[in-house]
Short mmCIF file of all heavy atoms in Angstrom, two decimals:
data_model
loop_
_atom_site.label_atom_id
_atom_site.label_comp_id
_atom_site.label_asym_id
_atom_site.label_seq_id
_atom_site.Cartn_x
_atom_site.Cartn_y
_atom_site.Cartn_z
N VAL A 413 2.66 4.16 32.58
CA VAL A 413 3.14 4.72 33.86
C VAL A 413 3.10 3.60 34.89
O VAL A 413 2.05 2.97 35.12
CB VAL A 413 2.23 5.89 34.31
CG1 VAL A 413 2.69 6.39 35.66
CG2 VAL A 413 2.32 7.05 33.25
N ASP A 414 4.26 3.37 35.44
CA ASP A 414 4.37 2.43 36.60
C ASP A 414 4.04 3.24 37.82
O ASP A 414 4.91 3.95 38.33
CB ASP A 414 5.77 1.83 36.63
CG ASP A 414 5.94 0.89 37.82
OD1 ASP A 414 5.07 -0.06 37.97
OD2 ASP A 414 6.84 1.07 38.59
N TYR A 415 2.86 3.20 38.30
CA TYR A 415 2.36 4.12 39.30
C TYR A 415 3.23 4.09 40.62
O TYR A 415 3.53 5.20 41.10
CB TYR A 415 0.86 3.95 39.64
CG TYR A 415 0.04 4.37 38.48
CD1 TYR A 415 -0.72 3.43 37.74
CD2 TYR A 415 -0.06 5.75 38.06
CE1 TYR A 415 -1.48 3.81 36.62
CE2 TYR A 415 -0.86 6.09 36.97
CZ TYR A 415 -1.55 5.14 36.29
OH TYR A 415 -2.29 5.54 35.21
N PRO A 416 3.62 2.94 41.12
CA PRO A 416 4.44 2.98 42.37
C PRO A 416 5.69 3.76 42.19
O PRO A 416 6.15 4.43 43.16
CB PRO A 416 4.69 1.50 42.66
CG PRO A 416 3.63 0.73 41.92
CD PRO A 416 3.28 1.54 40.73
N THR A 417 6.42 3.64 41.07
CA THR A 417 7.69 4.36 40.89
C THR A 417 7.50 5.61 40.03
O THR A 417 8.40 6.39 39.93
CB THR A 417 8.70 3.43 40.17
OG1 THR A 417 8.14 3.14 38.85
CG2 THR A 417 8.94 2.17 40.92
N GLN A 418 6.35 5.74 39.33
CA GLN A 418 6.12 6.81 38.37
C GLN A 418 7.07 6.81 37.21
O GLN A 418 7.29 7.77 36.57
CB GLN A 418 6.15 8.19 39.09
CG GLN A 418 4.97 8.43 39.96
CD GLN A 418 3.61 8.54 39.17
OE1 GLN A 418 3.57 8.90 37.98
NE2 GLN A 418 2.51 8.25 39.86
N ARG A 419 7.64 5.55 36.96
CA ARG A 419 8.52 5.47 35.78
C ARG A 419 7.67 5.52 34.53
O ARG A 419 6.63 4.87 34.49
CB ARG A 419 9.34 4.18 35.85
CG ARG A 419 10.58 4.22 34.95
CD ARG A 419 11.62 3.26 35.54
NE ARG A 419 11.31 1.92 35.27
CZ ARG A 419 11.65 1.27 34.09
NH1 ARG A 419 12.27 1.87 33.18
NH2 ARG A 419 11.32 0.00 33.94
N ARG A 420 8.19 6.23 33.51
CA ARG A 420 7.51 6.30 32.21
C ARG A 420 8.17 5.28 31.26
O ARG A 420 9.43 5.28 31.14
CB ARG A 420 7.70 7.68 31.63
CG ARG A 420 6.62 8.73 32.03
CD ARG A 420 6.94 9.32 33.39
NE ARG A 420 6.11 10.48 33.61
CZ ARG A 420 5.29 10.70 34.63
NH1 ARG A 420 5.18 9.79 35.61
NH2 ARG A 420 4.63 11.81 34.74
N ILE A 421 7.35 4.49 30.64
CA ILE A 421 7.85 3.51 29.66
C ILE A 421 7.12 3.68 28.36
O ILE A 421 5.91 3.31 28.25
CB ILE A 421 7.71 2.06 30.14
CG1 ILE A 421 8.37 1.92 31.53
CG2 ILE A 421 8.25 1.06 29.15
CD1 ILE A 421 7.99 0.62 32.24
N PRO A 422 7.72 4.26 27.31
CA PRO A 422 6.98 4.38 26.02
C PRO A 422 6.55 3.02 25.52
O PRO A 422 7.35 2.10 25.45
CB PRO A 422 8.08 5.03 25.12
CG PRO A 422 9.02 5.71 26.04
CD PRO A 422 9.09 4.82 27.28
N LYS A 423 5.28 2.93 25.21
CA LYS A 423 4.77 1.69 24.69
C LYS A 423 5.13 1.59 23.22
O LYS A 423 5.61 2.56 22.59
CB LYS A 423 3.19 1.65 24.83
CG LYS A 423 2.72 1.81 26.26
CD LYS A 423 1.14 1.77 26.32
CE LYS A 423 0.70 2.13 27.77
NZ LYS A 423 -0.79 2.21 27.80
N ASP A 424 4.95 0.45 22.64
CA ASP A 424 5.28 0.27 21.15
C ASP A 424 4.54 1.34 20.32
O ASP A 424 5.02 1.84 19.37
CB ASP A 424 4.88 -1.11 20.68
CG ASP A 424 6.00 -2.16 21.06
OD1 ASP A 424 6.95 -1.75 21.72
OD2 ASP A 424 5.84 -3.31 20.63
N SER A 425 3.32 1.70 20.80
CA SER A 425 2.51 2.67 20.09
C SER A 425 3.21 4.05 20.07
O SER A 425 3.12 4.82 19.12
CB SER A 425 1.13 2.83 20.61
OG SER A 425 1.19 3.18 22.01
N ALA A 426 3.94 4.37 21.12
CA ALA A 426 4.60 5.63 21.20
C ALA A 426 5.78 5.70 20.20
O ALA A 426 6.03 6.67 19.50
CB ALA A 426 5.20 5.89 22.61
N LEU A 427 6.47 4.55 20.09
CA LEU A 427 7.56 4.46 19.14
C LEU A 427 7.04 4.48 17.68
O LEU A 427 7.62 5.13 16.79
CB LEU A 427 8.34 3.15 19.35
CG LEU A 427 8.81 2.96 20.83
CD1 LEU A 427 9.56 1.68 21.09
CD2 LEU A 427 9.70 4.19 21.30
N TRP A 428 5.92 3.84 17.48
CA TRP A 428 5.24 3.87 16.20
C TRP A 428 4.80 5.34 15.82
O TRP A 428 5.05 5.86 14.77
CB TRP A 428 3.99 2.96 16.17
CG TRP A 428 3.15 3.07 15.00
CD1 TRP A 428 3.32 2.46 13.76
CD2 TRP A 428 1.98 3.91 14.85
NE1 TRP A 428 2.32 2.85 12.91
CE2 TRP A 428 1.49 3.71 13.55
CE3 TRP A 428 1.28 4.79 15.71
CZ2 TRP A 428 0.35 4.38 13.03
CZ3 TRP A 428 0.18 5.39 15.22
CH2 TRP A 428 -0.26 5.24 13.96
N TYR A 429 4.25 5.99 16.86
CA TYR A 429 3.75 7.34 16.64
C TYR A 429 4.93 8.27 16.38
O TYR A 429 4.86 9.17 15.52
CB TYR A 429 3.01 7.80 17.89
CG TYR A 429 2.16 9.07 17.78
CD1 TYR A 429 1.25 9.22 16.70
CD2 TYR A 429 2.32 10.12 18.66
CE1 TYR A 429 0.46 10.40 16.62
CE2 TYR A 429 1.53 11.31 18.59
CZ TYR A 429 0.62 11.41 17.52
OH TYR A 429 -0.16 12.53 17.39
#
Side-chain angles (χ1 to χ4, degrees):
V413 175
D414 177 53
Y415 292 111
T417 62
Q418 288 293 335
R419 198 152 78 84
R420 274 79 167 126
I421 305 167
K423 302 180 188 178
D424 281 1
S425 59
L427 308 178
W428 171 85
Y429 193 52

